[in-house]
mmCIF file of all heavy atoms in Angstrom:
data_model
loop_
_atom_site.group_PDB
_atom_site.id
_atom_site.type_symbol
_atom_site.label_atom_id
_atom_site.label_comp_id
_atom_site.label_asym_id
_atom_site.label_seq_id
_atom_site.Cartn_x
_atom_site.Cartn_y
_atom_site.Cartn_z
ATOM 1 N N ALA B 138 -41.474 134.516 -56.971
ATOM 2 C CA ALA B 138 -41.516 133.893 -55.597
ATOM 3 C C ALA B 138 -40.568 134.690 -54.759
ATOM 4 O O ALA B 138 -39.474 135.052 -55.167
ATOM 5 C CB ALA B 138 -41.030 132.480 -55.648
ATOM 6 N N PRO B 139 -40.956 135.021 -53.513
ATOM 7 C CA PRO B 139 -40.084 135.828 -52.692
ATOM 8 C C PRO B 139 -38.782 135.073 -52.389
ATOM 9 O O PRO B 139 -38.830 133.878 -52.167
ATOM 10 C CB PRO B 139 -40.882 136.063 -51.415
ATOM 11 C CG PRO B 139 -42.100 135.264 -51.527
ATOM 12 C CD PRO B 139 -42.203 134.654 -52.881
ATOM 13 N N PRO B 140 -37.688 135.808 -52.457
ATOM 14 C CA PRO B 140 -36.404 135.116 -52.176
ATOM 15 C C PRO B 140 -36.428 134.596 -50.711
ATOM 16 O O PRO B 140 -37.114 135.196 -49.909
ATOM 17 C CB PRO B 140 -35.344 136.226 -52.291
ATOM 18 C CG PRO B 140 -36.066 137.395 -52.937
ATOM 19 C CD PRO B 140 -37.510 137.190 -52.709
ATOM 20 N N ARG B 141 -35.664 133.575 -50.515
ATOM 21 C CA ARG B 141 -35.630 132.996 -49.124
ATOM 22 C C ARG B 141 -34.886 133.972 -48.240
ATOM 23 O O ARG B 141 -33.969 134.609 -48.651
ATOM 24 C CB ARG B 141 -34.927 131.649 -49.165
ATOM 25 C CG ARG B 141 -35.729 130.613 -49.884
ATOM 26 C CD ARG B 141 -34.875 129.357 -50.011
ATOM 27 N NE ARG B 141 -34.848 128.635 -48.733
ATOM 28 C CZ ARG B 141 -35.767 127.779 -48.305
ATOM 29 N NH1 ARG B 141 -36.785 127.517 -49.100
ATOM 30 N NH2 ARG B 141 -35.655 127.182 -47.191
ATOM 31 N N GLY B 142 -35.302 134.028 -47.047
ATOM 32 C CA GLY B 142 -34.594 134.890 -46.050
ATOM 33 C C GLY B 142 -35.122 136.295 -46.170
ATOM 34 O O GLY B 142 -36.261 136.540 -46.527
ATOM 35 N N ARG B 143 -34.217 137.241 -45.933
ATOM 36 C CA ARG B 143 -34.652 138.602 -45.738
ATOM 37 C C ARG B 143 -34.468 139.440 -47.029
ATOM 38 O O ARG B 143 -33.428 139.329 -47.708
ATOM 39 C CB ARG B 143 -33.760 139.247 -44.658
ATOM 40 C CG ARG B 143 -34.424 140.352 -43.960
ATOM 41 C CD ARG B 143 -33.607 140.691 -42.739
ATOM 42 N NE ARG B 143 -32.316 141.237 -43.075
ATOM 43 C CZ ARG B 143 -31.458 141.719 -42.211
ATOM 44 N NH1 ARG B 143 -31.740 141.701 -40.961
ATOM 45 N NH2 ARG B 143 -30.307 142.207 -42.591
ATOM 46 N N VAL B 144 -35.415 140.220 -47.415
ATOM 47 C CA VAL B 144 -35.264 141.151 -48.517
ATOM 48 C C VAL B 144 -35.214 142.528 -47.880
ATOM 49 O O VAL B 144 -36.024 142.894 -47.047
ATOM 50 C CB VAL B 144 -36.436 141.050 -49.497
ATOM 51 C CG1 VAL B 144 -36.359 142.163 -50.486
ATOM 52 C CG2 VAL B 144 -36.367 139.709 -50.186
ATOM 53 N N PHE B 145 -34.246 143.300 -48.276
ATOM 54 C CA PHE B 145 -34.029 144.582 -47.588
ATOM 55 C C PHE B 145 -34.760 145.737 -48.222
ATOM 56 O O PHE B 145 -34.932 146.744 -47.579
ATOM 57 C CB PHE B 145 -32.564 144.898 -47.566
ATOM 58 C CG PHE B 145 -31.749 143.917 -46.798
ATOM 59 C CD1 PHE B 145 -31.166 142.814 -47.426
ATOM 60 C CD2 PHE B 145 -31.580 144.061 -45.433
ATOM 61 C CE1 PHE B 145 -30.457 141.941 -46.707
ATOM 62 C CE2 PHE B 145 -30.833 143.138 -44.710
ATOM 63 C CZ PHE B 145 -30.308 142.085 -45.383
ATOM 64 N N PHE B 146 -35.114 145.594 -49.448
ATOM 65 C CA PHE B 146 -35.454 146.806 -50.160
ATOM 66 C C PHE B 146 -36.548 146.525 -51.127
ATOM 67 O O PHE B 146 -36.568 145.481 -51.787
ATOM 68 C CB PHE B 146 -34.192 147.293 -50.871
ATOM 69 C CG PHE B 146 -34.341 148.684 -51.435
ATOM 70 C CD1 PHE B 146 -34.021 149.772 -50.624
ATOM 71 C CD2 PHE B 146 -34.843 148.897 -52.707
ATOM 72 C CE1 PHE B 146 -34.139 151.058 -51.131
ATOM 73 C CE2 PHE B 146 -34.922 150.191 -53.165
ATOM 74 C CZ PHE B 146 -34.609 151.253 -52.404
ATOM 75 N N CYS B 147 -37.489 147.430 -51.274
ATOM 76 C CA CYS B 147 -38.502 147.289 -52.290
ATOM 77 C C CYS B 147 -39.041 148.670 -52.634
ATOM 78 O O CYS B 147 -39.363 149.417 -51.740
ATOM 79 C CB CYS B 147 -39.645 146.410 -51.703
ATOM 80 S SG CYS B 147 -40.873 146.067 -52.882
ATOM 81 N N TYR B 148 -39.040 148.944 -53.970
ATOM 82 C CA TYR B 148 -39.543 150.271 -54.372
ATOM 83 C C TYR B 148 -41.058 150.426 -54.222
ATOM 84 O O TYR B 148 -41.559 151.469 -53.910
ATOM 85 C CB TYR B 148 -39.189 150.541 -55.826
ATOM 86 C CG TYR B 148 -37.753 150.973 -56.025
ATOM 87 C CD1 TYR B 148 -36.914 150.274 -56.876
ATOM 88 C CD2 TYR B 148 -37.233 152.054 -55.278
ATOM 89 C CE1 TYR B 148 -35.609 150.684 -57.001
ATOM 90 C CE2 TYR B 148 -35.964 152.490 -55.468
ATOM 91 C CZ TYR B 148 -35.113 151.782 -56.327
ATOM 92 O OH TYR B 148 -33.861 152.172 -56.484
ATOM 93 N N LYS B 149 -41.787 149.381 -54.581
ATOM 94 C CA LYS B 149 -43.218 149.531 -54.693
ATOM 95 C C LYS B 149 -43.972 148.610 -53.714
ATOM 96 O O LYS B 149 -43.631 147.457 -53.641
ATOM 97 C CB LYS B 149 -43.676 149.097 -56.108
ATOM 98 C CG LYS B 149 -43.082 149.916 -57.198
ATOM 99 C CD LYS B 149 -43.857 151.153 -57.453
ATOM 100 C CE LYS B 149 -43.230 151.993 -58.596
ATOM 101 N NZ LYS B 149 -43.887 153.255 -58.724
ATOM 102 N N PRO B 150 -44.897 149.093 -53.000
ATOM 103 C CA PRO B 150 -45.703 148.295 -52.129
ATOM 104 C C PRO B 150 -46.413 147.191 -52.949
ATOM 105 O O PRO B 150 -46.714 146.135 -52.436
ATOM 106 C CB PRO B 150 -46.747 149.244 -51.529
ATOM 107 C CG PRO B 150 -46.269 150.591 -51.821
ATOM 108 C CD PRO B 150 -45.305 150.540 -52.949
ATOM 109 N N GLN B 151 -46.554 147.525 -54.262
ATOM 110 C CA GLN B 151 -47.153 146.568 -55.192
ATOM 111 C C GLN B 151 -46.444 145.200 -55.152
ATOM 112 O O GLN B 151 -47.076 144.144 -55.286
ATOM 113 C CB GLN B 151 -46.945 147.163 -56.571
ATOM 114 C CG GLN B 151 -47.966 146.800 -57.595
ATOM 115 C CD GLN B 151 -47.635 147.515 -58.899
ATOM 116 O OE1 GLN B 151 -46.824 148.444 -58.901
ATOM 117 N NE2 GLN B 151 -48.169 147.068 -59.978
ATOM 118 N N ALA B 152 -45.175 145.246 -54.935
ATOM 119 C CA ALA B 152 -44.362 144.008 -54.954
ATOM 120 C C ALA B 152 -44.839 143.009 -53.904
ATOM 121 O O ALA B 152 -44.690 141.851 -54.030
ATOM 122 C CB ALA B 152 -42.911 144.330 -54.694
#
Side-chain angles (χ1 to χ4, degrees):
Chain B
R141 293 173 76 85
R143 205 170 68 174
V144 170
F145 295 92
F146 192 88
C147 184
Y148 279 126
K149 300 274 181 188
Q151 208 179 344

